[in-house]
Amino acid sequence: MPSQSEPRPSIVDLRSDTVTRPTPEMRRAMAEAEVGDDVYGEDPTVNRLEHRAAKIFGREAALFVPSGTMGNQIAIKVHTRPGQEIICEERAHIFNYEMAMLAHFSGCLARPVPALDGILTWDRVERAIAPKIYYRAQTGLISLENTHNMAGGTVYPAEVFNDICERAHQAGLPVHLDGARIFNAATALGKPVAQISGKADSVMFCLSKGLGAPVGSLLVGSRAFIDQARVYRKSLGGGMRQAGVLAAAGLIALEKMPARLAEDHANAKFVAAGLAQIPGLRLDASKVITNILVFNVAGTGMTSFDICKKLAEHGVLASGIDSEHIRMVTHMDVDRAGCTRALEAVQAMCGHGRRVGAAD
Ligand SMILES: *Cc1c(COP(=O)(O)O)cnc(C)c1O
């Protein structure tokens, strides 16, 4: 342990991009934000953020919500009726990490479907749609996740995504997009977010992850959808009064931060290439195309939790997602030097020989 007088070595925190802190520019904008009561629709900064989000996504309207979870669950509530099923990939955030709110809030069941790299295709979705028989619970919604978090930040090819949306609509089913990291997907595909998400009936995306805002997510969709979503936001206690102080940071996140996500992706690829060289670790570095990497550690003889604990002692934080898998997420508060430190720490624990970063 360093003594109190020594500067503490900085922590390399790769647990999630949610740990990003607001930039000095965001803090200034927050301090100076013009505000009003948003429950009365009178916060000019929130109104501006919602207007800009709708515009960027090519939609009629948008709603600022405190978290991605609230945004997803409000969307699901608007699209469904109690007693219906929701088709999603089996590792979906809405199914595994949102406190069973599909059941609790919307009265629906998940119909989870496994898919390679978390990317569903229409044939898999179609097989999961309930037959139209009165004694079977009916499918009410298809929910897709782009990028797919637990599958390792994987991205829907635009054609696959559009195909699911078009055929779902032909079958009379709405599609919600959990686009927490849709700007990462857009960066990886080199296409604007409106183009890769426009066929979904609603989209939720987060300002508080790679885009660096301290708090907040947005829902976008039709005017009628957002009007209903606003009612459910209030029901859940999500009416936030002078939320302009948050929206001010959100506006900077939305307008300026997408342009730097490519740097996070380059860092993730660098880490993935290094990890792939370490004996006992398994990952396909070619599949790392955004800012998330998930790798298997079974070959090391240690559990992911043991490894994460030891890494933390070296000032490197990562998440054990189950006993065999570790997730690392790159973001703006970890630079290339931090990534190299993380790799060296993993190598010291699991591997031998080759110097990390030697052939960057
Ligand atoms: C983080 C995340 C959410 C939820 O966002 P919170 O703001 O943490 O509630 C939803 N979906 C995915 C895929 C996420 O990664």
Side-chain angles (χ1 to χ4, degrees):
M1 282 290 283
S3 77
Q4 289 236 307
S5 56
E6 277 176 284
R8 193 160 157 267
S10 64
I11 300 282
V12 177
D13 192 344
L14 295 169
R15 287 172 302 168
S16 177
D17 47 9
T18 56
V19 303
T20 47
R21 288 152 303 176
T23 63
E25 185 187 5
M26 287 180 192
R27 288 178 183 272
R28 271 195 306 278
M30 294 173 80
E32 291 162 11
E34 222 190 313
V35 296
D37 191 328
D38 182 51
V39 176
Y40 296 159
E42 291 172 4
D43 188 299
T45 311
V46 171
N47 291 343
R48 214 161 80 234
L49 174 63
E50 291 177 348
H51 184 81
R52 283 297 295 146
K55 181 111 185 146
I56 289 168
F57 280 78
R59 304 289 179 144
E60 289 173 4
L63 182 70
F64 186 46
V65 288
S67 69
T69 299
M70 192 188 285
N72 279 336
Q73 295 302 327
I74 287 171
I76 289 162
K77 179 74 179 168
V78 174
H79 287 305
T80 60
R81 290 196 313 278
Q84 291 185 324
E85 293 187 349
I86 297 158
I87 296 173
C88 60
E89 205 276 331
E90 68 178 1
R91 288 164 286 177
H93 196 281
I94 61 156
F95 176 43
N96 296 286
Y97 303 99
E98 298 190 6
M99 312 303 293
M101 280 288 273
L102 300 183
H104 189 175
F105 185 49
S106 293
C108 291
L109 273 185
R111 174 66 61 182
V113 178
L116 182 66
D117 299 324
I119 303 300
L120 288 165
T121 49
W122 174 253
D123 63 316
R124 282 184 177 260
V125 171
E126 189 178 30
R127 274 182 269 141
I129 296 174
K132 290 210 175 344
I133 305 171
Y134 85 90
Y135 54 81
R136 291 289 300 272
Q138 293 297 292
T139 304
L141 176 68
I142 295 162
S143 183
L144 305 176
E145 188 172 311
N146 196 18
T147 68
H148 194 304
N149 183 342
M150 282 301 153
T154 49
V155 175
Y156 270 90
E159 320 78 71
V160 174
F161 183 82
N162 289 342
D163 183 53
I164 295 174
C165 293
E166 281 164 14
R167 292 172 189 253
H169 292 151
Q170 284 162 15
L173 292 171
V175 179
H176 172 66
L177 171 59
D178 176 352
R181 296 184 181 81
I182 193 66
F183 283 95
N184 294 88
T187 299
L189 293 172
K191 295 187 167 132
V193 286
Q195 205 178 314
I196 64 167
S197 68
K199 288 199 190 292
D201 298 87
S202 54
V203 183
M204 184 287 292
F205 70 95
C206 292
L207 300 166
S208 61
K209 294 185 171 168
L211 302 184
V215 176
S217 297
L218 282 138
L219 254 183
V220 299
S222 68
R223 169 69 55 197
F225 171 85
I226 293 296
D227 285 349
Q228 261 190 291
R230 195 176 293 278
V231 174
Y232 288 125
R233 184 185 69 172
K234 191 71 178 75
S235 311
L236 290 171
M240 293 190 291
R241 309 299 177 186
Q242 285 75 40
V245 289
L246 299 174
L251 271 163
I252 294 167
L254 180 62
E255 305 282 9
K256 297 201 172 168
M257 304 307 271
R260 58 154 307 289
L261 292 175
E263 191 183 319
D264 299 342
H265 297 183
N267 280 337
K269 285 176 191 168
F270 168 77
V271 174
L275 291 175
Q277 305 280 322
I278 297 174
L281 302 188
R282 221 172 64 226
L283 92 158
D284 184 346
S286 72
K287 287 189 174 172
V288 176
I289 58 168
T290 63
N291 69 329
I292 302 179
L293 42 128
V294 174
F295 56 99
N296 186 301
V297 300
T300 64
M302 291 179 275
T303 70
S304 67
F305 306 116
D306 291 338
I307 293 174
C308 288
K309 200 161 148 225
K310 287 198 190 129
L311 285 175
E313 287 162 14
H314 289 80
V316 173
L317 307 184
S319 306
I321 59 179
D322 58 36
S323 65
E324 290 193 349
H325 293 90
I326 292 178
R327 187 187 72 161
M328 289 181 171
V329 186
T330 57
H331 54 77
M332 67 190 202
D333 287 354
V334 174
D335 60 10
R336 181 58 64 97
C339 291
T340 302
R341 254 187 66 201
L343 265 179
E344 282 170 351
V346 179
Q347 193 170 46
M349 207 157 303
C350 310
H352 328 271
R354 196 177 165 278
R355 194 170 67 81
V356 166
D360 176 11

